[in-house]
């Protein structure tokens, strides 16, 4: 089946929903949503998203079904209906990074996942037209880097007091009644959303009723949580127009020059959250100053694995007139420590592994961490972690060869590469250094831009420049002008992309042999050429 037409029809409807929502035409929004939900194109794309594109496609729900054949996927499209009774979700517990406690996930059955993806297609453009400009979590085209850059822009000219807050168990405690009232969709969609919320939980064979919360793991859960928390920024602005908020999912900060305003904002937020069944987490909620000590708290705060702080400097520095401070955003100490622990864990488990296997296991970890932190003041942290990694690997090597000299160990495991003599390498394969990652500033998304406005040139350009995008992918995006070379459609912000080797030789990495495809297009290309 040709994938181009379904994607085009689905996006055309979503764009119209977005435009109608911007105009405030709720009647037109609901009419278009019904049309999208009933369309064959949207159903096909919803099924493909949860059965082929999604990384959790092989995770089973309570019915045990996880991997579908092409014929089963087609049958799922034919039988996809919002009238079908929703089944309970399967509870899975996963560890939180750097913590002993675990996070609960709720895994719906495959049919319910597909219907959630279908409904999300209809609801998301409606709410993307309404969401506040400084909300960045779980939204298409927005990321952690946009949130951090927004904070930098707010702190460029003045020191501020900050309410650094975290909502306690946000996904698990949202009031169902308040959420369903707020969602503002047709009764047809409201009924199915209510069923998802009330479906119940099967945890280790024990059934539990679900009276509150939007279980994490569902396709629609992040969107529903964002809808529940929508309005916080407007609330802050109603207290003081010069107060600012930056929110990423359930983590948020409020900034203002005056402490009294911050305290008012805190009280107002606590009262507002109670109405939707939520409360602030006392252990993670505090008021700090970005430049001075306040109430026993050191200056600055941690947000999304970065430390945001202002440092005092001379008003005349190198002949230039300064503000008396500078704002620096660096990797947080907790983030650095978690990364160190991860490296030590991999090296410790690899005591008996060959050097090449260890390099291949460590490289994605190093690349991922450095790329994430490469948009801010991270050079010192990168140099420190480069030195730490070499020390850790030297201990690994000395343990393997306790009777050999340091010179012998160096000759066997290390070498000279681009001016750095302590490069951990085996032949031509080497371990990436943290310090070789370049610092590149990230430009924040324009506040009212959305992928549903159809400005694909803007979004394609941003995708290619994102710090976490692979260099090969970024180059191919530019060469292909943001389009998939198989289907000819532009890449969406949420699309999964894969590099295709045209001659099927994965060792031939010449540019003329590489093409960037959607994941499903990559599968089709291999099936066609098989």
């Amino acid at each position: 089946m040709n994938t181009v037409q379904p994607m085009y029809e689905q996006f055309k409807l979503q764009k119209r929903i977005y435009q109608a929502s911007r105009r405030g035409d709720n009647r037109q929004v609901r009419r278009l949503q019904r049309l999208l939900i009933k369309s064959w194109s949207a159903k096909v794309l919803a099924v493909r998203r949860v059965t082929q594109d999604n990384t959790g496609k092989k995770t089973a729900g309570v019915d045990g079904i996880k991997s579908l054949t092409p014929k089963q996927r087609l049958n799922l499209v034919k039988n996809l209906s919002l009238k079908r009774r929703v089944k309970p979700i399967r509870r899975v517990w996963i560890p939180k990074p750097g913590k002993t406690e675990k996070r609960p996930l709720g895994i719906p059955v495959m049919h319910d996942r597909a219907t959630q993806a279908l409904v999300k297609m209809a609801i998301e453009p409606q709410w993307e037209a309404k969401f506040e400009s400084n909300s960045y979590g779980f939204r298409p085209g927005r990321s952690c880097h946009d949130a951090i850059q927004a904070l930098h822009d707010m702190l460029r000219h003045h020191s501020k007091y900050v309410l650094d807050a975290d909502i306690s168990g946000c996904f698990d405690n949202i009031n169902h009644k308040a959420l369903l009232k707020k969602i503002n969709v047709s009764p047809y969609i409201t009924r199915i959303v209510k069923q998802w919320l009330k479906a119940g939980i099967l945890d280790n064979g024990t059934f539990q009723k679900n009276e509150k919360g939007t279980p994490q793991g569902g396709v629609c859960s992040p969107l529903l949580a964002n809808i529940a928390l929508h309005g916080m920024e407007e609330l802050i602005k109603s207290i003081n127009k010069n107060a600012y908020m930056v929110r990423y999912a359930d983590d948020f900060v409020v900034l203002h020059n005056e402490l009294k305003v911050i305290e008012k904002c805190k009280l107002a937020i606590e009262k507002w959250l109670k109405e939707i069944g939520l409360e602030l987490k006392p252990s993670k909620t505090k008021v700090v100053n970005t430049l001075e000590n306040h109430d026993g708290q050191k200056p600055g705060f941690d947000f999304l694995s970065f430390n945001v702080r202002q440092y005092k400097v001379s008003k005349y520095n190198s002949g230039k007139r300064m503000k008396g401070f500078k704002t620096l955003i660096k990797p947080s100490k907790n983030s650095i420590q978690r990364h160190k622990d991860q490296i030590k864990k991999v090296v410790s488990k690899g005591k008996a592994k060959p050097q090449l296997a260890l390099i291949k296991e460590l490289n994605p970890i190093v690349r991922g961490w450095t790329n994430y932190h490469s948009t801010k003041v991270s050079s010192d942290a990168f140099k420190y972690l480069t030195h730490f990694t070499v020390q850790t690997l030297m201990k690994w090597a000395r343990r393997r060869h306790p009777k050999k000299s340091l010179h012998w160990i160096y000759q066997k495991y290390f070498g000279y590469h681009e001016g750095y003599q302590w490069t951990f390498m085996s032949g031509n394969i080497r371990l990436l250094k943290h310090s070789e990652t370049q610092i590149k500033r990230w430009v924040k998304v324009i506040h009212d831009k959305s992928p549903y406005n159809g400005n694909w040139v803007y979004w394609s350009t941003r995708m290619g420049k994102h710090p976490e995008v692979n260099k090969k992918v970024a180059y191919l995006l530019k060469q292909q002008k943001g389009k998939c070379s198989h289907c000819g459609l532009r890449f969406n912000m949420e699309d999964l992309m894969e590099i295709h080797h045209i001659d099927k030789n994965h060792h031939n990495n010449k540019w003329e042999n590489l093409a960037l495809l959607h994941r499903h297009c990559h599968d089709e290309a291999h099936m066609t050429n098989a």
Side-chain angles (χ1 to χ4, degrees), residues 339-350:
H339 185 55
K340 285 169 61 179
D341 291 342
Q342 192 176 13
I343 290 172
K344 285 193 290 187
K345 185 177 179 181
V346 170
V347 173
S348 178
K349 285 186 174 181

Side-chain angles (χ1 to χ4, degrees), residues 65-79:
I65 298 173
K66 53 183 179 180
S67 208
L68 301 183
T69 64
K71 187 177 180 180
Q72 288 174 323
R73 288 198 293 269
L74 188 59
N75 287 333
L76 180 55
V77 173
K78 291 176 181 177
N79 297 322

Side-chain angles (χ1 to χ4, degrees), residues 55-323:
T55 51
K57 60 189 175 184
K58 293 186 178 180
T59 307
V62 294
D63 58 0
I65 298 173
K66 53 183 179 180
S67 208
L68 301 183
T69 64
K71 187 177 180 180
Q72 288 174 323
R73 288 198 293 269
L74 188 59
N75 287 333
L76 180 55
V77 173
K78 291 176 181 177
N79 297 322
L80 200 60
S81 171
L82 270 62
K83 295 179 181 179
R84 187 167 166 178
R85 188 173 179 180
V86 173
K87 292 187 177 180
I89 60 173
R90 182 170 71 91
R91 175 72 82 206
V92 176
W93 296 88
I94 60 169
K96 289 186 177 181
K99 298 179 182 179
T100 54
E101 57 185 303
K102 293 186 177 183
R103 177 184 288 117
L105 289 184
I107 312 298
V109 297
M110 198 65 73
H111 181 275
D112 293 343
R113 271 182 258 180
T115 54
Q116 286 192 30
L118 182 62
V119 170
K120 185 186 176 186
M121 286 182 195
I123 298 176
E124 190 169 63
Q126 173 194 357
W127 278 92
E128 276 297 311
K130 298 179 181 181
F131 279 142
E132 294 156 328
S133 59
N134 284 311
S135 164
Y136 298 97
F138 304 118
R139 290 183 60 190
R142 293 170 179 251
S143 66
C144 300
H145 300 90
D146 292 305
I148 293 297
Q149 188 58 42
L151 283 174
H152 185 272
D153 293 345
M154 293 171 186
L155 292 169
R156 287 171 64 186
H157 303 295
H158 302 282
S159 62
K160 295 184 186 294
Y161 285 97
V162 180
L163 171 63
D164 179 15
D166 181 66
I167 299 172
S168 180
C170 176
F171 282 88
D172 300 323
N173 295 303
I174 292 173
N175 183 282
H176 289 173
K177 190 176 180 180
L179 174 59
L180 291 169
K181 184 179 179 181
K182 191 174 184 179
I183 200 170
N184 190 26
V185 289
S186 65
Y188 179 62
I189 297 177
T190 304
R191 278 195 298 271
I192 189 67
V193 174
K194 185 177 181 179
Q195 285 186 52
W196 293 334
L197 296 175
K198 302 285 187 182
I201 302 165
L202 199 64
D203 189 357
N204 290 325
T206 305
F207 180 80
Q208 304 170 7
K209 287 186 177 181
N210 191 22
E211 299 297 340
K212 57 183 179 178
T214 60
Q216 297 181 67
V219 179
C220 251
S221 294
L223 175 60
L224 294 176
N226 267 336
I227 292 171
L229 296 174
H230 173 72
M232 290 179 70
E233 188 175 347
E234 185 181 344
L235 173 71
I236 296 303
K237 288 292 183 183
S238 69
I239 295 171
N240 190 297
K241 64 179 182 180
N242 293 320
Y244 297 97
M245 168 181 273
V246 174
R247 181 173 68 83
Y248 190 91
D250 57 342
D251 293 334
F252 67 90
V253 291
V254 180
L255 304 92
H256 194 269
N257 300 345
E258 298 179 15
L259 180 60
K260 288 182 180 178
V261 174
I262 292 294
E263 290 172 345
K264 282 183 181 178
C265 289
K266 183 182 177 183
L267 292 173
I269 288 170
E270 287 176 335
K271 184 179 178 181
W272 187 86
L273 287 174
K274 274 186 180 179
E275 295 174 2
I276 55 172
L278 300 175
E279 61 182 5
L280 296 180
K281 195 171 187 176
S283 61
K284 288 190 176 182
T285 301
K286 59 184 179 180
V287 177
V288 297
N289 189 277
T290 55
L291 184 63
E292 307 280 355
N293 289 334
H294 171 70
D295 197 23
Q297 301 278 354
K298 291 182 180 179
F301 59 96
D302 289 349
F303 190 65
L304 301 177
S305 296
F306 286 94
N307 178 258
V308 183
R309 183 180 169 183
Q310 292 170 326
Y311 296 82
K312 292 181 180 179
V313 295
S314 171
K315 289 194 175 182
Y316 291 92
N317 191 5
S318 302
K320 295 180 180 179
R321 186 179 178 85
M322 308 289 284
K323 299 183 182 69

Side-chain angles (χ1 to χ4, degrees), residues 299-487:
F301 59 96
D302 289 349
F303 190 65
L304 301 177
S305 296
F306 286 94
N307 178 258
V308 183
R309 183 180 169 183
Q310 292 170 326
Y311 296 82
K312 292 181 180 179
V313 295
S314 171
K315 289 194 175 182
Y316 291 92
N317 191 5
S318 302
K320 295 180 180 179
R321 186 179 178 85
M322 308 289 284
K323 299 183 182 69
F325 66 87
K326 58 181 177 180
T327 303
L328 297 181
I329 300 179
K330 306 176 181 179
S332 69
K333 289 182 179 179
N334 286 339
S335 179
I336 292 172
Q337 188 58 52
R338 286 197 302 269
H339 185 55
K340 285 169 61 179
D341 291 342
Q342 192 176 13
I343 290 172
K344 285 193 290 187
K345 185 177 179 181
V346 170
V347 173
S348 178
K349 285 186 174 181
K351 290 175 183 176
K353 289 182 180 178
Q355 184 185 13
L356 190 59
L358 198 60
I359 291 172
K360 289 183 176 179
E361 195 169 350
L362 284 172
N363 269 345
I365 295 171
V366 173
R367 187 185 295 112
W369 194 89
T370 53
N371 283 352
Y372 179 81
H373 292 91
S374 65
T375 60
K376 294 302 170 189
V377 187
S378 305
S379 295
D380 289 344
F382 288 172
K383 289 175 184 176
Y384 165 72
L385 287 165
T386 297
H387 180 65
F388 166 80
T389 305
V390 169
Q391 285 185 317
T392 305
L393 291 169
M394 178 57 82
K395 289 177 183 177
W396 171 87
R398 292 185 70 180
R399 184 185 179 281
R400 291 166 74 96
H401 309 283
K403 295 183 180 180
K404 296 293 185 180
S405 67
L406 291 178
H407 179 72
W408 185 93
I409 290 172
Y410 173 82
Q411 292 287 349
K412 181 172 177 62
Y413 293 108
F414 295 88
Y416 188 86
H417 181 267
E418 294 183 356
Y420 188 71
Q421 62 180 354
W422 287 96
T423 303
F424 192 67
M425 57 196 304
S426 175
N428 295 325
I429 309 298
R430 66 182 182 89
L431 178 67
L432 297 174
K433 303 193 304 290
H434 293 78
S435 55
E436 70 184 74
T437 303
Q438 294 182 347
I439 305 299
K440 292 183 179 179
R441 301 301 175 202
W442 177 245
V443 179
K444 185 175 76 71
V445 64
I446 298 174
H447 71 279
D448 62 346
K449 288 283 187 181
S450 169
Y452 297 112
N453 64 9
N455 189 351
W456 289 114
V457 175
Y458 176 80
W459 294 108
S460 297
T461 304
R462 284 184 67 79
M463 274 193 289
K465 293 180 179 179
H466 197 279
E468 294 182 287
V469 169
N470 183 287
K471 289 181 180 179
K472 283 185 180 179
V473 171
Y475 177 81
L476 291 170
L477 265 173
K478 187 175 181 180
Q479 291 298 107
Q480 296 173 198
K481 298 181 180 179
K483 295 180 181 179
C484 172
S485 64
H486 183 76
C487 67

